Amino acid sequence: MRVGLQIPSFTWPGGPEAIGPTLARVVRAADEVGFDSIWVMDHFSQIRAVGRTEEPMLEGWTTLGFLAANTSRARLGLMVGGVHYRAPGLWAKAATTLDVLSGGRAWLGIGAAWNEEESRGLGFPFPPLAERFELLEDALRVVHEMWRGEHGSEAPFQGHHTQAARLLNSPQSISRPHPPVMVGGGGERKTLRLVAQYADACNVFGGPTAIHHKYEVLREHCVAMGRDAGEIERSTLQTVNLDLGDGRGESGAQVVDRFGELSDAGAETVIFSARDVWDPRVIEALGRDVLPDLHALGR
């Protein structure tokens, strides 16, 4: 099982001045103990499931560039990008830039988005859901065109809402044939169909029964399209509250058992956020008590 760390919160001791140094320390430690990937959210204010709206939130692509400079091995990505925040060509260019500057470690994580409150708050247009799915398909088609050949297809493009005169991409990505694409979300009719058609990975939520069902729906879409479902990495997003001696969470063994059930349900990659990740003991304990056993699952 591959293991990713998501960092969804920057509400850490020391205030804004400490965010940069703390984040650098956290991701260097995560890289060193063996996390396969590190992810940040693509939000502009904190989401309700994590904390108060007013809590600190960093812009995603800028943060990934910072992560690239402070890591050397783990892949890096957004969990997941909101398609309407950027034009399709910019999605390709930003992911390519991260890939080049990180030495070929970029993911492109993208989805149809949902947070109307932050979009309205900052003046981003928030199209209806059907239009956002059309934008998502435009973006997925554009990135594949821009990752073709030495400099992209350089062809014009006409999509649902996107018109481009020349899809040029220079420098080209280091990852070949392209940085892997993850489409986030478990919508069975549209999202998982787009995964089957355009993506290298899916990401779904829930327990073993729920994620197994989603993976089966994805497999059915792949069959309908004549694609080998084994080409698509099956991932899931989870949370970990590790017990650091305060009796408020799980032991490392309990985390491994819980994620083992997800592996049995079909998950190949588990990506999780960890409570109080700023505390050095958290990454240390995860690297010692959790990651080795998760990496051994399925061997």
Side-chain angles (χ1 to χ4, degrees):
M1 178 174 262
R2 289 176 288 275
V3 188
L5 176 69
Q6 186 205 37
I7 303 174
S9 173
F10 307 97
T11 305
W12 298 333
E17 294 81 6
I19 290 176
T22 303
L23 181 59
R25 173 175 53 76
V26 168
V27 300
R28 284 196 296 265
D31 198 43
E32 290 169 2
V33 302
F35 277 94
D36 299 290
S37 56
I38 303 173
W39 307 78
V40 295
M41 299 196 301
D42 192 28
H43 289 292
F44 306 115
S45 56
Q46 187 54 273
I47 61 174
R48 295 183 299 274
V50 178
R52 294 180 298 105
T53 303
E54 297 78 16
E55 291 179 6
M57 180 53 58
L58 302 178
E59 192 280 322
W61 280 119
T62 309
T63 305
L64 290 176
F66 181 83
L67 267 56
N70 282 280
T71 56
S72 61
R73 190 191 55 79
R75 281 192 170 271
L76 308 168
L78 295 177
M79 179 58 64
V80 293
V83 66
H84 67 295
Y85 295 143
R86 304 165 187 87
L90 181 53
W91 281 110
K93 192 66 182 178
T96 301
T97 298
L98 178 65
D99 198 62
V100 168
L101 296 182
S102 68
R105 295 187 287 128
W107 271 95
L108 173 59
I110 194 167
W114 60 270
N115 197 328
E116 182 174 5
E117 180 181 359
E118 69 179 2
S119 294
R120 300 296 186 203
L122 295 184
F124 288 96
F126 191 75
L129 182 59
E131 185 174 331
R132 299 201 308 277
F133 271 109
E134 292 173 344
L135 286 169
L136 180 57
E137 185 163 23
D138 280 358
L140 291 166
R141 291 176 59 199
V142 164
V143 298
H144 282 291
E145 285 292 306
M146 288 181 66
W147 284 331
R148 286 175 50 190
E150 186 176 356
H151 296 125
S153 68
E154 301 192 53
F157 176 86
Q158 178 71 46
H160 298 287
H161 303 278
T162 304
Q163 296 81 42
R166 182 189 179 195
L167 294 181
L168 172 68
N169 196 35
S170 180
Q172 188 54 279
S173 63
I174 293 176
S175 297
R176 304 306 297 154
H178 55 75
V181 177
M182 173 186 285
V183 172
E188 297 181 12
R189 188 167 60 89
K190 292 185 177 180
T191 302
L192 293 178
R193 177 184 61 80
L194 290 174
V195 172
Q197 189 168 1
Y198 297 106
D200 304 288
C202 67
N203 187 264
V204 298
F205 312 125
T209 300
I211 68 170
H212 178 75
H213 171 72
K214 298 296 185 182
Y215 297 150
E216 284 299 300
V217 173
L218 174 60
R219 184 187 62 78
E220 292 167 3
H221 281 300
C222 288
V223 169
M225 293 183 181
R227 183 176 182 187
D228 179 3
E231 296 176 354
I232 300 174
E233 184 173 332
R234 299 183 300 273
S235 76
T236 180
L237 185 63
Q238 304 288 327
T239 60
V240 167
N241 294 320
L242 202 62
D243 185 358
L244 297 177
D246 55 10
R248 293 196 298 137
E250 301 171 283
S251 68
Q254 288 173 320
V255 173
V256 172
D257 287 345
R258 178 160 62 91
F259 289 170
E261 293 178 356
L262 299 175
S263 176
D264 292 341
E268 298 170 303
T269 295
V270 61
I271 300 166
F272 62 83
S273 58
R275 175 174 61 92
D276 295 340
V277 72
W278 53 267
D279 186 329
R281 296 176 297 169
V282 172
I283 297 296
E284 179 184 356
L286 290 169
R288 181 187 64 239
D289 301 331
V290 174
L291 266 63
D293 288 336
L294 292 182
H295 281 146
L297 287 175
R299 289 182 182 171

